[in-house]
Amino acid sequence: MRWLGRDLSAKSFMLTSSLNRKILAKNYGIGGRMLTNLKRSIALSIFACCLISTSAPAHPGSGIGVDRIGQIFFLDTGSGLWKIDAKGGLTHLSPLRNHWMAVDPNSGFANARLPTDPAGDWVLTKVGADPTVLISTDFPLAIGQDGNLYYPPRRSGDLQILRTTPSGNTSTFATLPRTAAGAPLENIDGITVAPDGSIYYTNDNLICRINSRGQVTTVATVPALVGGPSIPGNDQHPYLRGLSVDAKGVMYVADAGDARVLKIAPDGKTTTLLQLPQGPWAPTAVALYRDDLYVLEFSHTASDNRVEWMPRIRKIKSDGTTSIIVTVDQMPGARPKAVSKVDGLGIRFLTYEFVNPFLDGALH
């Protein structure tokens, strides 16, 4: 469950453990009444899960970015934030199992106070320095060429993109157009900043651009792929999510609904850079670095179990050749270990040994 945006799972640790109580108090400031409320929240959430048979559609994370020296940062919804350094080394940076992230190349927010939600429905968290990475529980976010943070927190009325400076000043950058039916947008599915400073975002089958004056235009409308693959847990075609834009205004976007990566020129010419076969794999985000494109892909399932969504990172070179550079098997502790046991009747069961991300040695 998510509690204060920290995605603390009752499956990954036992609150009754004195060691975990000490770790929660020391590292997360959770103790006393807060710990009691946390246990009560988990109990209520488990109870609610037993009562409610349907829930909002869940989806894997859509967070990947590359810094100036070619280090790749990505979010695994099942284990947290990871980094691939310029030599290919893999490091686990945070256990927060959020959905979106943005690289802050100048670490302008490293010592800044991040925006907060008075209602506690969403949380932004900063991780590391040089660069700092910002991760989000509930919506995509981006750092602009001006060093400011752009993000769309859900409020009543029309959806807006807010702009927050490292000094803490927040203003409305743009009010997003309503749907064709006249209803306010509920959310956007991806956001990025182009080299010219303009903001691009995805919403279902649309890519929209926001100029420096906050004016919004639709720059691409993507049709569904005829006879495309079926992705478990997703019946939306197309479903445009994470995107990147180069200096010429060429857009690269992950279509999670049709399991493909598209390249869309400013004149509308569309090229399919990657088409995955029948599910469960589908791309959820892309990141440009020089002439190469890095793609975050997940194996999708119809369930809301995050550890079942397996991540991998693909590299697409400028000549069109592709290769998988990281899989979940190379991410120590990212998934529970399967343990085969036999009961007294000789029946073999498969159980799981969950990794506690709060224990020493679980983070790399």
Side-chain angles (χ1 to χ4, degrees):
M1 61 162 289
R2 184 190 305 141
W3 181 80
L4 293 181
R6 291 191 173 101
D7 288 326
L8 304 180
S9 170
K11 293 182 179 179
S12 63
F13 66 97
M14 293 298 295
L15 289 172
T16 54
S17 163
S18 60
L19 174 60
N20 281 319
R21 286 200 298 269
K22 291 178 182 178
I23 293 172
L24 288 170
K26 178 180 178 182
N27 295 340
Y28 295 87
I30 301 174
R33 182 174 296 177
M34 292 180 72
L35 181 59
T36 300
N37 290 339
L38 174 57
K39 290 191 281 188
R40 183 181 296 118
S41 297
I42 290 176
L44 288 174
S45 295
I46 294 173
F47 178 68
C49 289
C50 294
L51 292 178
I52 301 173
S53 59
T54 61
S55 61
H59 52 79
S62 179
I64 187 170
V66 187
D67 69 8
R68 290 192 181 97
I69 63 173
Q71 297 186 117
I72 305 164
F73 300 82
F74 67 95
L75 271 174
D76 168 24
T77 327
S79 66
L81 179 65
W82 294 78
K83 179 183 77 173
I84 309 170
D85 64 32
K87 296 182 179 180
L90 198 60
T91 306
H92 192 191
L93 300 179
S94 170
L96 299 185
R97 305 187 305 166
N98 295 171
H99 285 78
W100 291 275
M101 56 150 281
V103 175
D104 180 7
N106 297 318
S107 295
F109 285 88
N111 298 310
R113 183 182 179 88
L114 294 177
T116 58
D117 178 22
D121 291 334
W122 53 265
V123 172
L124 303 182
T125 305
K126 53 192 173 186
V127 179
D130 194 26
T132 297
V133 177
L134 305 184
I135 57 179
S136 166
T137 57
D138 286 69
F139 45 74
L141 69 170
I143 298 293
Q145 298 294 340
D146 54 8
N148 297 325
L149 173 64
Y150 294 83
Y151 58 105
R154 186 71 185 99
R155 297 175 175 177
S156 59
D158 291 324
L159 188 64
Q160 296 178 325
I161 301 291
L162 300 187
R163 174 173 54 197
T164 295
T165 67
S167 61
N169 296 320
T170 297
S171 59
T172 299
F173 175 64
T175 298
L176 304 188
R178 295 192 168 198
T179 66
L185 287 184
E186 290 292 330
N187 56 266
I188 62 175
D189 302 308
I191 189 170
T192 193
V193 177
D196 67 0
S198 56
I199 306 292
Y200 288 72
Y201 69 89
T202 56
N203 174 241
D204 295 340
N205 66 327
L206 303 178
I207 301 178
C208 299
R209 178 180 181 269
I210 311 175
N211 65 18
S212 59
R213 297 183 297 278
Q215 298 169 325
V216 183
T217 56
T218 298
V219 293
T221 302
V222 177
L225 177 64
V226 177
S230 175
I231 307 301
N234 181 21
D235 58 1
Q236 186 174 333
H237 306 280
Y239 178 21
L240 306 184
R241 299 194 65 189
L243 74 165
S244 287
V245 181
D246 69 16
K248 296 180 180 179
V250 177
M251 298 162 282
Y252 302 81
V253 63
D255 177 4
D258 291 321
R260 57 183 175 168
V261 173
L262 302 177
K263 174 183 177 181
I264 306 174
D267 63 2
K269 180 182 178 181
T270 301
T271 305
T272 300
L273 298 182
L274 174 71
Q275 177 65 69
L276 298 177
Q278 189 72 14
W281 289 96
T284 63
V286 296
L288 272 172
Y289 180 67
R290 297 178 180 171
D291 294 329
D292 297 325
L293 187 69
Y294 294 93
V295 184
L296 174 62
E297 301 173 5
F298 277 91
S299 61
H300 290 61
T301 68
S303 75
D304 191 13
N305 186 346
R306 298 185 181 203
V307 299
E308 293 180 356
W309 303 333
M310 302 298 179
R312 67 187 183 191
I313 304 297
R314 182 187 300 271
K315 180 179 181 179
I316 303 178
K317 294 183 178 181
S318 58
D319 62 5
T321 59
T322 76
S323 60
I324 301 296
I325 61 172
V326 165
T327 68
V328 72
D329 293 335
Q330 298 166 268
M331 300 160 56
R335 289 298 181 273
K337 302 174 183 178
V339 180
S340 181
K341 295 184 178 181
V342 179
D343 73 351
L345 298 176
I347 300 175
R348 186 173 297 275
F349 293 92
L350 191 66
T351 61
Y352 290 93
E353 175 188 344
F354 283 89
V355 176
N356 185 339
F358 297 95
L359 292 179
D360 293 338
L363 305 184
H364 300 271

